[in-house]
Every structure is written in C-alpha cells, then in structure tokens.
Amino acid sequence: MADRAGVWGPRLRLRVPVPRLAGESTGSFVNRLAHAHELELGDLLDRVGTGLQPVNPRLPALAELYVNRAALDHLAVLSGRTPHRLQLALTNLQDHFLLPGDDPARWQWPFEVREGHVVRCCDLCALARGVREAAWLVWPDPWRVCLRHRRFTDDHRGQDPHVVRLEGLPEVVRAHADRVRLEGRFGAAGAELFADGFQIVSRWWERAPDVWSWTQRAWRAELEARELRTGPLVVYPEAVQLAREMLRYEQCGERTHAARGVWMEEVQQLTAGWGLEDVDGWGELAQWLDHHAQPAAATFADGAAGARRRRRRVLAVGHSRLAEPSSSLRERSCMV
C-alpha cells in the first residue's frame, strides 16, 4: 500500500452538482461525486488528499471514508459546498470524526466503520432525490426498513437481493409501522422495549431458524432461511408483539412472584402460537424479568401531562443500568 503522490488539491469546484441524501456515508457521496464527473474513485480522491488505503471500487459498500480538516476543505470545494454545509450533510465529516492533523490533506478508508454500519439506501428513496446509482447510508444497525417504499436493506454485500421488497410480507410492514407508533408514543422507553423484544426473538431464531413462519417469510423475501441477514427481517413481527407484552408488564407495575408467573405463562402461550413450542425461551424471558424486577419511579398516566411523562419514561432500574438509549438495537437493550 503506497501513498498517492502528486496531490495538489482542487482549484475549482466540479461542474456537476450531486444531490444530497440524508444520512449518506461520506464514501458513498464521494463515489457519486466521482461518477458524476466521469472520474474513477481514485482519481477524485487524489484531488481530496493522500491516502494509505488502496482504492477498491466496492469500498463505498463495505466501509467508510474519513478525512482531516484540510481534506474536508478540498472536498467542500469539489462539491460546491462550504465545509460547514458539507458537515451538516454528512455525519462522518463532523469535527469529532475528522482525522488529526490539518496539513497536508489526507484521507483514510479503513475496513471498519468507527460507529454504526454502512447500509444500502432504499433505491426508491435515492431515485426520488435524483440518484440513479447505488448509495449507502450510515446507520446505527446493520439493517433498516423504509416504510414509505416497503424496502428492507442491510450491510451484507455481494448477496442478492441487494434491496428486499416487502410487498409480499405485509406482516413485516405492519410490524414496522407498529414499532414506529410504539416509539412515537413512548419515546426512548418504546425504542428500548422493542430492542429488548428484538434481541430475545433473534436469539430464538438463531437456535431455531427453521420455524415454519420464519422459513416462509424468508422464502417470500427470496432469502435463505439460515442466512445471518435473514434473521432481522423474518422475526420482526414477533419482536414487536413481544415488545408490546413487555410494555404491558411495565405498565402494570406489579413485580410479585405471582405476577411474573402469569406474565411468563401468557408470553409462552403467545410464542406457542408462533410455532415456537419446541424452542426453550425460558432463559431469555427470566433474564428480562430479572432486569425489570424493580420498577422505575415514573408511572404511565393519561392526558397531556401523562403523554409528556410517557415520552420521558425511564424503564426499570435494572434495565437502565445496562441499556444505552441512543445507540444501536443491541446496545439499547438490557439483554446484553
């Protein structure tokens, strides 16, 4: 791996404006900027600064580009934006992601993203913004659902389909809409309960990916039932249903041994209806109950004041000690 030599930086902006995509990765943006001007990615990077990572045409789909402040200035000139506006548009150009050292201009393209994942953008969202080529977003999780266009995308590269259409999976679409409503009504508490439900059901899927309903969803999505990328999509409806049951337990506030037993029995009846009779889910459910054994001081209430309290509600003490409210699903859950 050799340094790129002879880099002098841009003198003028490139002639073709590149439309903005919310949440786009820097590497994806730079790749599109190069293509818009009929340049190879490496040729454009030569105008941005020097770098040690050999340029692979698949890099925008695999990892993320990072620059120092001088290279940010060069990239801003090339894109026809001010550095500040470019930082507002691309999260990984913000100050805390910049490489140390202001001079000379340099970039890095490591194979590990510092935070989050590089996830394929919904093709119809991109097209609506005038982008007709593949684009990638920086996302907290390795997958995402576009509710508007009913698309599922993830960070698994080189595997078809690159974008999964959800027209044949209406239960997944409904589940995502239910999740959005849950998080809209209860804020961080709703998001954390979904994360808990998702982590638990995902563990069950890892042990029993051949459950009939899950294999049928995989088939309808044109995915292999046992592929790692398949799990988040096929378990989505059950994860949301379990989150609703968890919410009901939190709302009840009763933490007696009898209340635990009743809730456990009701959830196990629910999972039996999913075809999970042979999946031993006792351990995960008992662990979740242990983390939620001591309720938080805040309570659910009705009316405008109650709605405000719901949105800032803190979950059980044991949960809050383990969960990170603003991170990925894995970190947002107490099921570590």
Side-chain angles (χ1 to χ4, degrees):
M1 296 187 295
D3 282 342
R4 295 183 175 276
V7 180
W8 299 97
R11 297 178 184 275
L12 298 171
R13 64 174 290 185
L14 297 178
R15 65 185 181 278
V16 180
V18 174
R20 173 186 172 184
L21 284 176
E24 188 174 16
S25 73
T26 306
S28 177
F29 173 79
V30 170
N31 193 51
R32 292 196 298 112
L33 188 63
H35 294 168
H37 296 87
E38 300 181 350
L39 294 172
E40 296 294 331
L41 178 57
D43 293 333
L44 179 64
L45 288 173
D46 280 342
R47 304 186 185 197
V48 174
T50 57
L52 293 174
Q53 181 68 51
V55 176
N56 180 328
R58 294 183 65 236
L59 277 177
L62 295 171
E64 175 62 310
L65 171 68
Y66 299 96
V67 302
N68 69 352
R69 188 166 297 280
L72 168 63
D73 292 340
H74 289 179
L75 184 57
V77 172
L78 290 167
S79 65
R81 295 173 169 88
T82 66
H84 176 67
R85 290 187 65 84
L86 200 57
Q87 286 182 299
L88 292 177
L90 302 173
T91 300
N92 283 345
L93 289 181
Q94 293 176 1
D95 286 349
H96 63 284
F97 285 115
L98 293 180
L99 302 176
D102 293 339
D103 190 53
R106 63 188 182 92
W107 52 265
Q108 289 180 2
W109 209 316
F111 287 108
E112 294 291 335
V113 183
R114 291 189 192 173
E115 292 184 13
H117 302 264
V118 177
V119 174
R120 180 73 172 261
C121 179
C122 165
D123 52 343
L124 295 183
C125 286
L127 187 60
R129 297 290 299 170
V131 177
R132 299 181 179 273
E133 64 179 304
W136 290 269
L137 310 177
V138 177
W139 199 250
D141 299 299
W143 56 271
R144 69 188 298 269
V145 171
C146 171
L147 186 59
R148 172 177 294 179
H149 298 118
R150 302 187 176 190
R151 297 290 195 271
F152 172 91
T153 58
D154 57 22
D155 66 349
H156 288 262
R157 307 301 169 222
Q159 294 178 273
D160 290 328
H162 298 296
V163 177
V164 179
R165 299 175 62 176
L166 299 180
E167 285 84 352
L169 294 169
E171 69 272 33
V172 175
V173 176
R174 288 193 298 269
H176 186 67
D178 287 344
R179 173 192 174 183
V180 171
R181 284 191 290 268
L182 178 69
E183 296 179 356
R185 183 179 181 188
F186 296 107
E192 291 170 48
L193 288 172
F194 172 75
D196 286 346
F198 179 82
Q199 289 300 112
I200 290 177
V201 180
S202 294
R203 293 184 189 181
W204 295 343
W205 176 85
E206 290 170 1
R207 296 203 295 269
D210 294 329
V211 169
W212 176 251
S213 60
W214 293 341
T215 58
Q216 286 299 298
R217 286 178 196 145
W219 178 77
R220 283 183 278 153
E222 300 182 0
L223 297 172
E224 294 294 330
R226 291 176 172 268
E227 281 187 2
L228 183 63
R229 68 183 303 204
T230 302
L233 177 61
V234 299
V235 305
Y236 213 136
E238 288 76 23
V240 174
Q241 290 180 57
L242 182 56
R244 287 287 184 185
E245 293 301 308
M246 293 170 166
L247 172 63
R248 183 169 60 82
Y249 185 79
E250 282 281 325
Q251 287 176 313
C252 176
E254 189 176 355
R255 298 298 191 267
T256 64
H257 180 75
R260 284 171 57 107
V262 169
W263 184 83
M264 181 77 79
E265 182 178 351
E266 290 173 345
V267 171
Q268 289 181 328
Q269 289 176 355
L270 180 65
T271 60
W274 300 340
L276 300 182
E277 300 94 335
D278 298 329
V279 178
D280 181 12
W282 172 268
E284 286 84 7
L285 294 175
Q287 182 183 3
W288 185 84
L289 286 169
D290 288 343
H291 293 165
H292 290 251
Q294 183 179 350
T299 58
F300 288 79
D302 296 324
R308 288 193 295 271
R309 284 199 292 275
R310 283 195 295 268
R311 291 192 58 82
R312 64 173 182 266
R313 176 180 172 81
V314 177
L315 296 180
V317 174
H319 172 99
S320 301
R321 288 172 181 164
L322 296 170
E324 294 290 339
S326 60
S327 301
S328 66
L329 280 173
R330 182 179 298 275
E331 294 168 329
R332 202 179 297 155
S333 171
C334 69
M335 299 298 295
V336 293

